Amino acid sequence: MRSYWRAVALAFVAAGFCLSLGATAQAGCVGLSGTADGVDKRTAVARSQNALKEAIAEFKASKRLRSVSISPMRAKPQPYWRDSVSPSLYQKPDVVTSQGHTICWSGVVSPTVCTSGAKVCW
């Protein structure tokens, strides 16, 4: 009888261990970004930050998440008309808020293009 209770106790411990590992495996982080252009830096920053907010909202909806933690992350530039952005094209300083990190550069067609990035964890 003692061995029966010991086996039951071990089974509960094993089940609890598996459940705790399963919850940890579901948690994670992802980097999201939004890119937009504008006639000036202020407009491009606002538009890229709005694009980032929309990307976060879409991600939350697709994963059916209620709450996430958001921290700024410097995203890779996503230019529209070129493969990369040379260092001389960047418009400093970067704009960093609690919700995102925005980098801007001189565009080919638009005067300013910006990419905002954030790390989203759940």
Side-chain angles (χ1 to χ4, degrees):
M1 187 69 157
R2 264 178 92 179
S3 62
Y4 173 76
W5 288 112
R6 197 175 290 164
V8 169
L10 284 173
F12 278 117
V13 169
F17 185 68
C18 290
L19 289 175
S20 68
L21 284 179
T24 305
Q26 290 178 351
C29 296
V30 66
L32 298 176
S33 64
T35 300
D37 61 350
V39 295
D40 58 13
K41 186 174 178 178
R42 173 187 264 177
T43 304
V45 166
R47 288 179 178 173
S48 70
Q49 289 174 342
N50 284 337
L52 176 61
K53 287 178 186 176
E54 289 175 10
I56 292 170
E58 288 174 12
F59 179 78
K60 285 173 61 177
S62 70
K63 294 287 187 182
R64 297 182 180 166
L65 301 171
R66 287 188 178 184
S67 65
V68 295
S69 66
I70 303 168
S71 58
M73 178 193 78
R74 189 177 196 278
K76 181 181 175 201
Q78 299 174 357
Y80 295 132
W81 299 102
R82 51 172 72 115
D83 294 330
S84 63
V85 178
S86 66
S88 63
L89 294 175
Y90 284 104
Q91 298 177 3
K92 295 290 182 182
D94 293 354
V95 178
V96 181
T97 66
S98 63
Q99 299 283 305
H101 185 133
T102 304
I103 54 174
C104 299
W105 63 93
S106 299
V108 174
V109 175
S110 300
T112 303
V113 182
C114 298
T115 295
S116 295
K119 183 171 120 176
V120 178
C121 298
W122 62 98

